[in-house]
Amino acid sequence: MKRLHGNTIGLKANQLHRLENLYRRRIPPQFVITPELCRDLAALSHETGRQMGLLVNRRGHVEFVIVGDAHGIVIPDTQSYRSAPGRLRGLRCIHTHLKETEGVSRDDLTDLSLLRLDLMAVVTVAGDGLAREIWVAHLIPSASEEAPYEILPPISPHHPEMDCLEMILALEREIGRSAGSIHYTESGIERALLVGVAIGPKQAALDSLNELKALSRSCGIEVVGTRLQQRSRADARYLLGSGKLQELSIVAQQAGVSLLVFDQELNPSQIRAITDLIDLKVIDRTQLILDIFAQRARTRDGKRQVELAQLRYLLPRLIAKNTAMSRLTGGIGGRGPGETKLEINRRRVRERITRLEKDLALVRKQRAQQRARRDRKQIPVISIIGYTNAGKSTLLNTLTHSHMLAESRLFATLDTASRRLRFPRDTEVIITDTVGFIRDLPKELMAAFRATLEELESADLLLHVVDVSSPHFEAHMDSVEKVLIELNLNRMPCLCAFNKQDRVAPELLAGLKGRLDGVFISARDPETLRPLIEEMEQLVNRCKPD
């Protein structure tokens, strides 16, 4: 016999026995609930003074019997019935309300939306213990409606026929068709809702959300909207409040969203708690950046570094229900005695991390040898650094007449590129374009890209490219400075090149030139680069050993 769920303390043996017998009932497909089952459920609810609930599958079998209190029921874990995008849960909920004037409540509609139930049916119980009415609510396929659900007119408990199964299947077909155009565009782009928490100043959180939006678009995600919650401190379990998270789930259901992107980094317990509460894919800012890097990496070394960063991020987040790493266990040996799939996943990840670290250690050694050869030839090196999308690759192309990929999006290029540059006085240098920086650069990436960032240590000059047209360029400069301090490079010679001056109003540009120390350029216009080239040549010659 299946067990009862919920608050069974204080129930009599006879009542428990009658509740357990509900598992033997079966509901024909044309009924929401049979008149006999409706009568018995209402009688038990009246006797105990508690709400009673059933979760029924599409074959009409009772899967869960739930005992609540006078105000509501708590639906148990239904993870084994997890629905796919465009599909419903495969369970309908039928429960009682002790007030005969109370129909479908807000909590009922929230559960319907969060769990994507087939139906939510409420049996109102009169003062004499008889069922008075049955209210039915269901999700709707179109995301253009004001609410993602519809409440039907009440039906009689004596004649609860409504072709229930056929209606559920028709709804699911409509939702599936809508999901094909709502959850993904024709090109397969995911739709996302961006979520942030403002602990301090609200404007700073809004600026961070705008940057997250640019990151999402750079990753190929269609941003449906943003939500920001002001809090005195972050919720330890959900980051947001649980009520706000439930509200977001309903908004996501309404807008056809398949992905929530959090601006803050989520710890493993928060990811588990959030995904247990809502039926959407959830990622954070760090995971989004890692995914962008995975898309952009082209060279073998770049791919290794990105994979190492992803595995280091994933390792503490591996849980028993996670299937993301299942591919690592396929076809690799047999399982040890008593070894769980979770343990195998973790062991495989650790082994892969160890192999990647050895490979990258060899890469660092090879690059150290290359730097030594350059030092012997006494060829100066200039490394271009800066915030992502500041125009570093465009500047390198213009200076060296190259044709590297240069696009107006975050992290358009990832792999390091080096080109030779000859100054007017026949001084030859190597100029290197490095990976762009960003606010709160994930520590996993910092560690994994150590081999790449070590190239900066051998540079004779750092060329810091700044997008002066950005309203947040000074904050971007501070972020780059913080990264340089972490790498112990803040004492190296550095020249600031304030790029995109053509996008700044003349009166504002004049003020900036008066207070900022550097060279103002437009990376696409070679004529504006002459002062920069002269300044670089002077600094390189000054740094040369006598």
Side-chain angles (χ1 to χ4, degrees):
M1 178 68 70
K2 297 179 180 179
R3 69 183 182 91
L4 302 177
H5 298 266
N7 180 27
T8 59
I9 298 173
L11 296 183
K12 299 176 182 178
N14 173 265
Q15 293 168 341
L16 291 171
H17 181 68
R18 288 157 61 194
L19 284 167
E20 289 171 349
N21 282 339
L22 295 179
Y23 279 112
R24 303 178 186 273
R25 303 293 188 91
R26 186 179 181 278
I27 302 173
Q30 69 270 26
F31 289 89
V32 176
I33 185 173
T34 62
E36 296 80 14
L37 183 55
C38 184
R39 179 195 64 215
D40 293 344
L41 201 63
L44 278 164
S45 189
H46 179 69
E47 284 179 33
T48 60
R50 308 179 190 189
Q51 291 189 15
M52 301 291 173
L54 305 173
L55 290 180
V56 182
N57 65 25
R58 293 183 185 177
R59 296 189 300 275
H61 297 145
V62 177
E63 294 290 334
F64 298 88
V65 176
I66 310 164
V67 182
D69 55 24
H71 308 290
I73 62 171
V74 177
I75 296 178
D77 182 22
T78 58
Q79 294 298 323
S80 58
Y81 295 87
R82 183 176 289 272
S83 59
R87 300 291 300 275
L88 297 174
R89 179 73 59 178
L91 294 172
R92 64 180 179 269
C93 180
I94 306 161
H95 75 106
T96 60
H97 277 182
L98 296 175
K99 295 180 181 179
E100 58 180 296
T101 57
E102 184 181 15
V104 181
S105 68
R106 179 68 182 178
D107 288 342
D108 295 331
L109 295 173
T110 299
D111 288 339
L112 174 68
S113 299
L114 285 175
L115 299 176
R116 298 183 62 81
L117 298 170
D118 288 356
L119 294 175
M120 175 63 74
V122 174
V123 178
T124 58
V125 181
D128 55 6
L130 297 177
R132 179 58 56 90
E133 292 176 327
I134 301 175
W135 292 83
V136 177
H138 62 78
L139 297 176
I140 53 177
S142 175
S144 62
E145 303 289 339
E146 293 183 359
Y149 44 74
E150 180 182 2
I151 302 175
L152 303 178
I155 58 178
S156 168
H158 307 293
H159 303 285
E161 305 96 334
M162 57 180 299
D163 289 331
C164 181
L165 181 60
E166 184 56 39
M167 183 182 76
I168 291 170
L169 294 176
L171 283 171
E172 191 168 65
R173 285 194 294 270
E174 287 298 316
I175 290 173
R177 280 195 287 269
S178 298
S181 58
I182 293 176
H183 289 286
Y184 298 92
T185 62
E186 290 181 2
S187 59
I189 298 176
E190 254 184 303
R191 292 166 60 91
L193 189 66
L194 311 185
V195 184
V197 175
I199 308 297
K202 188 174 181 179
Q203 187 57 48
L206 287 172
D207 293 341
S208 182
L209 266 181
N210 287 332
E211 185 174 81
L212 185 69
K213 185 185 294 186
L215 283 169
S216 300
R217 288 171 176 164
S218 183
C219 191
I221 295 172
E222 180 183 348
V223 177
V224 175
T226 61
R227 292 293 186 276
L228 181 67
Q229 185 183 36
Q230 184 84 40
R231 294 179 64 91
S232 58
R233 59 187 180 88
D235 185 87
R237 188 174 186 187
Y238 297 115
L239 189 67
L240 305 166
S242 58
K244 185 68 174 180
L245 195 58
Q246 291 177 349
E247 178 189 322
L248 284 176
S249 181
I250 294 175
V251 171
Q253 165 70 25
Q254 184 176 352
V257 167
S258 60
L259 177 67
L260 289 184
V261 184
F262 282 80
D263 194 26
Q264 286 77 12
E265 183 171 336
L266 301 173
N267 61 45
S269 62
Q270 286 173 333
I271 291 178
R272 286 196 295 269
I274 293 171
T275 52
D276 284 344
L277 184 64
I278 61 175
D279 217 13
L280 291 170
K281 185 161 60 173
V282 175
I283 65 173
D284 59 17
R285 177 189 176 89
T286 299
Q287 198 168 355
L288 180 65
I289 293 174
L290 289 173
D291 192 78
I292 294 173
F293 272 57
Q295 292 181 32
R296 303 288 190 271
R298 293 291 180 268
T299 65
R300 185 177 179 184
D301 292 342
K303 291 177 180 179
R304 283 172 174 169
Q305 291 173 116
V306 172
E307 184 183 357
L308 178 59
Q310 288 178 317
L311 292 178
R312 282 176 172 165
Y313 173 84
L314 180 63
L315 183 58
R317 291 163 175 81
L318 279 176
I319 57 174
K321 292 184 292 185
N322 195 330
T323 58
M325 299 303 297
S326 59
R327 66 183 179 85
L328 293 181
T329 63
I332 306 177
R335 301 186 183 188
E339 191 172 29
T340 65
K341 183 178 180 181
L342 175 60
E343 290 166 344
I344 290 177
N345 286 344
R346 285 175 173 164
R347 179 162 53 81
R348 295 290 185 248
V349 170
R350 290 192 187 100
E351 289 172 354
R352 181 62 178 162
I353 287 174
T354 300
R355 287 197 297 271
L356 288 171
E357 287 175 340
K358 289 180 179 178
D359 290 343
L360 291 176
L362 181 60
V363 170
R364 288 198 297 272
K365 183 177 179 181
Q366 291 170 346
R367 291 189 175 181
Q369 292 170 348
Q370 292 172 359
R371 290 196 297 270
R373 285 197 295 269
R374 286 201 301 262
D375 292 342
R376 285 196 297 271
K377 293 180 180 180
Q378 296 184 345
I379 300 177
V381 176
I382 299 174
S383 289
I384 303 177
I385 61 171
Y387 209 78
T388 180
N389 202 34
K392 299 184 298 298
S393 298
T394 303
L395 178 59
L396 179 66
N397 285 340
T398 307
L399 286 172
T400 62
H401 306 289
S402 304
H403 301 285
M404 286 179 55
L405 175 68
E407 297 180 2
S408 180
R409 58 174 178 170
L410 303 188
F411 298 116
T413 55
L414 172 61
D415 297 307
T416 301
S418 297
R419 299 290 186 272
R420 286 182 178 266
L421 173 65
R422 185 176 294 277
F423 288 137
R425 297 177 185 175
D426 286 339
T427 302
E428 191 174 62
V429 298
I430 293 176
I431 186 164
T432 302
D433 181 21
T434 58
V435 62
F437 298 149
I438 197 169
R439 178 185 61 83
D440 298 330
L441 190 68
K443 57 183 179 297
E444 292 87 1
L445 276 174
M446 288 285 290
F449 274 74
R450 184 180 168 192
T452 297
L453 297 175
E454 280 179 353
E455 290 288 317
L456 300 178
E457 296 177 3
S458 63
D460 297 280
L461 175 67
L462 299 180
L463 180 59
H464 184 179
V465 180
V466 181
D467 178 5
V468 76
S469 68
S470 170
H472 311 296
F473 77 90
E474 290 180 291
H476 295 172
M477 291 177 68
D478 291 339
S479 297
V480 174
E481 288 295 328
K482 288 178 182 177
V483 175
L484 293 178
I485 291 172
E486 290 180 24
L487 298 172
N488 295 320
L489 299 173
N490 51 310
R491 296 183 179 180
M492 292 188 64
C494 185
L495 171 63
C496 282
F498 295 98
N499 189 27
K500 305 182 185 180
Q501 64 170 354
D502 53 312
R503 299 184 183 181
V504 182
E507 60 277 8
L508 180 59
L509 184 63
L512 292 174
K513 286 182 177 180
R515 68 180 182 89
L516 295 175
D517 184 18
V519 183
F520 284 75
I521 64 169
S522 294
R524 294 183 184 277
D525 184 1
E527 293 298 320
T528 66
L529 302 184
R530 290 179 181 176
L532 176 66
I533 293 172
E534 291 175 1
E535 187 71 21
M536 285 194 298
E537 187 174 15
Q538 289 178 11
L539 289 172
V540 166
N541 290 332
R542 194 180 306 164
C543 297
K544 277 184 179 181
D546 295 332

